């Protein structure tokens, strides 16, 4: 039996849908890289997560995140509306399931910028999701980048630095990431990520 979604196929729909997970420690430049990848691939779409964290002046509601309160987040989670969810620095983050599935069905490249805990959950329900992990060139550079964001006090920066080191180890152990990209220079890293994604799509297309 065909579902409504299948009968409403758009002219722009393809069978090329792929979920891309981009992760990396805070301060590594992953948001810039994610947005760069999104701009470089015509059918790429960015999954806007729900979060209970405080909105900063740099954040745009509905573009960077859907900012929700704890009760709404828990409602979404209980209703099965989240593909994955995780606690990061005491705040909750989650990926809207229906939107991701819809975009994937439409053949888009769906980009999830999520942490390692979330990535592990996504891979359980979408085993062919492609994982890229962004690494800092070295630890002193990461510490310096965390400081230059001026988002936390020194204690907060140190906490994120320690958490980053642990997250990198968890990422390596998770088996979720096909590639680890060292972000030496952002434009080069974006180009490298785009090449990996296009190669992977071409490989999948030739197999199907
Ligand atoms: P920030 O608050 O700095 O934007 O993000 C903090 C961390 O939460 C980052 O590592 C980011 O990748 C992660 N994150 C953002 N959205 C999601 C999400 O929907 N799920 C999970 N698991 N992590 C997320």
């Amino acid at each position: 039996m065909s579902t409504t979604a299948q009968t409403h196929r758009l002219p722009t729909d393809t069978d090329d849908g792929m979920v891309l997970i981009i992760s990396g420690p805070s301060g590594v430049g992953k948001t810039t890289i994610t947005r760069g990848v999104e701009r470089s691939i015509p059918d790429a779409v960015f999954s806007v997560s729900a979060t209970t964290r405080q909105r900063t002046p740099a954040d745009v509601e509905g573009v960077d995140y859907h900012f929700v309160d704890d009760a709404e987040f828990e409602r979404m989670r209980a209703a099965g509306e989240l593909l994955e969810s995780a606690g990061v620095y005491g705040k909750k983050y989650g990926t809207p399931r229906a939107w991701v599935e819809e975009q994937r069905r439409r053949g888009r490249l769906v980009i999830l910028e999520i942490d390692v805990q979330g990535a592990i959950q996504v891979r359980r329900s979408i085993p062919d999701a492609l994982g890229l992990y962004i690494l800092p060139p070295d630890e002193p550079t990461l510490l310096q980048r965390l400081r230059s964001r001026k988002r936390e006090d020194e204690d907060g920066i140190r906490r994120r630095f320690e958490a980053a080191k642990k997250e990198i180890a968890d990422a390596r152990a998770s088996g979720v990431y096909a590639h680890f990209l060292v972000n030496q220079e952002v434009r080069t890293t974006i180009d490298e990520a785009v090449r990996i994604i296009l190669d992977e799509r071409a490989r999948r297309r030739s197999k199907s």
Side-chain angles (χ1 to χ4, degrees), residues 150-186:
K150 298 189 167 49
R151 282 199 359 197
E152 296 94 11
D153 58 15
E154 186 59 25
D155 269 6
I157 289 165
R158 282 279 161 192
R159 259 201 315 277
R160 287 203 180 228
F161 182 59
E162 290 311 316
K165 287 195 279 185
K166 185 180 176 305
E167 201 199 83
I168 292 169
D170 289 347
R172 290 197 188 281
S174 71
V176 166
Y177 301 96
H179 300 269
F180 288 79
L181 306 183
V182 177
N183 184 27
Q184 197 73 248
E185 197 279 311
V186 80

Side-chain angles (χ1 to χ4, degrees), residues 22-26 30-31 47-51 53-54 59 64-65 73 84-89 91-96 112-119 121 149 151-152 160 167:
I22 298 184
S23 307
S26 45
K30 80 185 164 278
T31 303
S47 162
V48 179
S49 299
T51 184
R53 90 144 156 77
Q54 200 73 37
D59 292 316
D64 298 299
Y65 286 105
F73 192 94
E84 59 75 37
S85 64
V88 184
Y89 306 113
K91 299 296 173 188
K92 297 171 184 174
Y93 294 80
T95 301
L112 313 185
E113 192 209 304
I114 60 176
D115 79 335
V116 176
Q117 311 164 66
Q121 296 168 51
R149 299 194 313 172
R151 282 199 359 197
E152 296 94 11
R160 287 203 180 228
E167 201 199 83

Side-chain angles (χ1 to χ4, degrees), residues 130 197-208:
L130 176 68
I197 296 157
L198 297 182
D199 283 356
E200 181 59 22
R201 271 180 128 183
R203 196 184 64 78
R204 291 183 187 191
R205 213 174 296 134
S206 72
K207 269 176 48 184
S208 63

Side-chain angles (χ1 to χ4, degrees), residues 20-53:
L20 171 71
I21 300 169
I22 298 184
S23 307
S26 45
V28 80
K30 80 185 164 278
T31 303
T32 313
I33 293 162
T34 303
R35 294 301 190 174
V37 168
E38 185 192 6
R39 273 195 298 274
S40 307
I41 299 183
D43 73 340
V45 287
F46 177 78
S47 162
V48 179
S49 299
T51 184
T52 63
R53 90 144 156 77

